[in-house]
Structures are given as C-alpha cells and as structure tokens.
Amino acid sequence: MAKGKYEKWLEPESLILLEGWARDGLTDEQIAHNMGITARTLYLWKEKYIQIFQSLKKGKEVVDIQVENALLKRALGYEYTEEKVEISEKDGKKVVQTVKHVVPDTTALIFWLKNRKSEKWRNKPETPDTKQDETLNRLIEAVNNVD
C-alpha cells in the first residue's frame, strides 16, 4: 500500500526541516510550496497532525524571540568590543580592543512602547471620556446631517 504524502512529513528529519524553514522566516505559503502541497493542505495537516503544527510553531517562536531580543537591545543601546589588528615596525602585529557604544534607538523605543504598552503610549491614549466624546460627536454629526 502506498504511503500518504503527509507521512513523509511526520518523520523526524522532515519535522526538523519544517522547523528550520519556519525559523528562517518562511511563511506557511512558502513552506507549503517547499513541501509540494498547497497552503490549504498545510493548514489542514497542521490541524490534523500535531507534530507538524508543533514543528512550525517551535521554529517560529525561536525567530520571534531572537527578533524581540534584538529590538530590545537596539532600543536600550549596548556596548561591544571591536578588535583591530595593527601593524607597526616597532611592535609587529598587535590586536587592539576598543569598546564601542551604540546609543539607544528612538524608533525602536517608540515601536516597543507602542506595541508593548499601547494603553499608555499610543498616539491618542484612550480614556473613558474619549469613547464618550467620540460617541457624542457622532450623534451631533448625525443630527446635523438630518436636514
């Protein structure tokens, strides 16, 4: 009896491949294309076969965490050590280390705050009065447009 196409993707090596594609940032549509199936079939397999779902989820979580960490690092600023090889007639080759500073990135800070603390940092913080004011303004506008 012939194996179903899905069975190949339940093998450990194939699950690792799926995880790797997800970790590399491929979309479900791109992953389905690489598998030789439609995106719809992949969605059905993710619902039916927990191993496929978990492999894709695990791969995407790793990348998401790496990106979050990189964004946070950029938002806060950081230091790193740069090494250069200097050559002089007197000393020959010498490795010189310099500590470099990367200043906090305002755009990364704004992005982080608007997404992680949106109730406080969105452009127009919503207060209880804001919703009432919007409703009142719509009612006034509707009454004025009745004429």
Side-chain angles (χ1 to χ4, degrees), residues 135-147:
T135 304
L136 184 59
N137 287 338
R138 277 188 256 137
L139 286 170
I140 292 169
E141 189 176 314
V143 169
N144 288 336
N145 290 331
V146 169
D147 297 333

Side-chain angles (χ1 to χ4, degrees), residues 24-145:
D24 288 345
L26 272 64
T27 64
D28 283 350
E29 289 76 16
Q30 293 168 322
I31 291 170
H33 179 267
N34 288 352
M35 295 170 73
I37 60 174
T38 66
R40 173 94 175 113
T41 300
L42 178 58
Y43 297 135
L44 293 172
W45 287 3
K46 283 170 57 175
E47 289 178 13
K48 192 171 182 180
Y49 306 108
I50 191 71
Q51 303 95 316
I52 291 174
F53 173 80
Q54 288 174 336
S55 289
L56 294 172
K57 183 179 177 191
K58 184 177 177 186
K60 290 177 183 180
E61 284 175 351
V62 170
V63 172
D64 290 346
I65 290 168
Q66 288 174 331
V67 171
E68 284 177 2
N69 290 339
L71 177 63
L72 179 60
K73 182 177 178 181
R74 189 70 181 111
L76 298 176
Y78 58 96
E79 293 181 351
Y80 66 97
T81 303
E82 182 177 273
E83 292 185 351
K84 289 184 181 179
V85 176
E86 293 183 356
I87 302 172
S88 69
E89 290 180 24
K90 181 180 173 188
D91 299 325
K93 283 186 176 181
K94 180 168 90 174
V95 177
V96 177
Q97 293 185 339
T98 308
V99 176
K100 299 276 185 156
H101 303 277
V102 176
V103 297
D105 183 321
T106 308
T107 303
L109 283 165
I110 292 168
F111 186 81
W112 184 273
L113 290 170
K114 282 186 175 186
N115 283 282
R116 297 287 299 257
K117 297 278 197 171
S118 60
E119 66 284 346
K120 184 175 180 182
W121 290 97
R122 75 177 107 199
N123 286 341
K124 293 182 180 180
E126 197 172 281
T127 64
D129 293 338
T130 306
K131 281 187 174 181
Q132 290 175 352
D133 290 346
E134 289 175 12
T135 304
L136 184 59
N137 287 338
R138 277 188 256 137
L139 286 170
I140 292 169
E141 189 176 314
V143 169
N144 288 336
N145 290 331

